[in-house]
């Protein structure tokens, strides 16, 4: 399956919110939709989910207008939307039935997910008796119980401790392995970088960067080296301003041109005792700041 938003335009009154937004997400892969607050991520997701229509453009599945009667969506919102005073199993079944499940099928699926997420003991408790992290896991069940084709996760790791974050990682990997389309929206770049094959960055309602994350990184000028050594002071002294110390103690060497990589690496290996040397690739955080920061680049062709 290929999900596509194509040339989406949206305004609220005089305010233009989305301008020609286009991106594709494929089944069996995770896609990261990134942007600062107010960039247009939530509006794009709501149009994708048919909460409200676009002014123009289309949401397509395999090249044809998406049929919401056939394509099931699961959504974990950033702002949680469950009932704090209601019994957990009752509201989970209610939401599953709203999504077309029969009662028995809903109970069976929900009990599976309660067990999978270590939440069975809370089945008949009220939601507000749970910790924030456990409430997050209950909310996740509403997104997965009806076995959706498309899973949309908005800040899914918010409020989770490391153990529960690892559990959620396993669940996400399972969904990807089952051939689902998994769409992430998050400001936690480490998770996006871990899961997502491709990304789109929104800035002021426009897509400013879109594509395979590995290709995006490869296309950056490869003119910096990372060196790990037990004697960094010697390199810092010898290489002068071209060599700086990174946050984790590694040395960053800026080359005059990327064509100098081999000669510089050979020189360092032959001249110093080093533990590791490699070309420095930008992190997703670096890329995000470049394209979505205050001095962001213009929209790419």
């Amino acid at each position: 399956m290929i999900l596509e938003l194509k040339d989406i335009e949206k305004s609220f009154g005089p305010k233009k919110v989305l301008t020609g937004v286009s991106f594709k997400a494929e089944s069996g892969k995770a896609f990261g939709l990134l942007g600062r607050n107010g960039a247009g991520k939530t509006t794009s997701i709501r149009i994708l989910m048919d909460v409200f229509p676009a002014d123009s453009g289309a949401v397509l599945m395999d090249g044809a207008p998406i049929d919401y009667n056939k394509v099931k969506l699961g959504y974990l919102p950033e702002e949680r939307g469950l009932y704090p005073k209601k019994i957990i199993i009752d509201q989970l079944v209610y939401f599953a039935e709203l999504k077309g499940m029969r009662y028995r099928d809903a109970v069976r699926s929900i009990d599976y997910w309660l067990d999978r997420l270590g939440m069975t003991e809370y089945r008949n408790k009220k939601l507000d008796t749970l910790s924030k992290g456990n409430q997050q896991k209950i909310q996740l069940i509403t997104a997965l119980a009806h076995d959706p084709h498309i899973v949309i996760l908005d800040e899914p790791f918010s409020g989770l401790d490391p153990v529960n974050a690892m559990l959620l990682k396993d669940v996400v990997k399972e969904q990807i392995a089952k051939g689902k389309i998994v769409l992430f929206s998050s400001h936690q770049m480490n998770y996006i970088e871990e899961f997502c094959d491709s990304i789109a960055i929104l800035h002021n309602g426009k897509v400013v960067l879109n594509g395979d994350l590995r290709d995006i990184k490869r296309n950056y000028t490869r003119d910096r080296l990372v060196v790990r050594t037990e004697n960094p002071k010697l390199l810092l002294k010898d290489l002068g301003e071209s060599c700086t110390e990174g946050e984790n103690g590694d040395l960053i060497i800026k080359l005059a041109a990327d064509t100098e990589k081999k000669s510089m690496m050979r020189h360092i290996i032959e001249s110093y005792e080093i533990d590791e040397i490699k070309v420095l690739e930008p992190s997703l955080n670096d890329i995000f700041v470049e394209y979505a920061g205050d001095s962001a680049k213009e929209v790419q062709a």
Side-chain angles (χ1 to χ4, degrees), residues 78-98:
E78 180 178 5
E79 298 297 330
R80 311 314 175 204
L82 298 180
Y83 301 105
K85 299 297 182 182
K86 297 294 184 181
I87 300 298
I88 286 169
I89 184 63
D90 293 342
Q91 57 180 313
L92 287 177
V93 169
Y94 168 71
F95 282 114
E97 288 180 321
L98 284 179

Side-chain angles (χ1 to χ4, degrees), residues 194-237:
E194 178 177 352
F195 286 109
C196 294
D197 300 278
S198 54
I199 62 168
I201 296 179
L202 292 174
H203 183 62
N204 294 332
K206 300 177 183 179
V207 175
V208 293
L209 187 66
N210 185 15
D212 183 278
L213 183 54
R214 289 171 298 181
D215 291 341
I216 289 170
K217 287 187 174 185
R218 288 193 196 103
N219 288 333
Y220 269 72
T221 302
R222 301 167 71 82
D223 62 353
R224 290 181 295 172
L225 301 177
V226 182
V227 177
R228 184 172 300 164
T229 174
E230 293 184 359
N231 190 8
K233 292 182 179 180
L234 181 58
L235 269 78
L236 286 167
K237 177 184 176 183

Side-chain angles (χ1 to χ4, degrees), residues 49-61:
M49 295 180 61
D50 201 31
V51 174
F52 48 66
D55 297 336
S56 62
V59 180
L60 307 175
M61 180 65 80

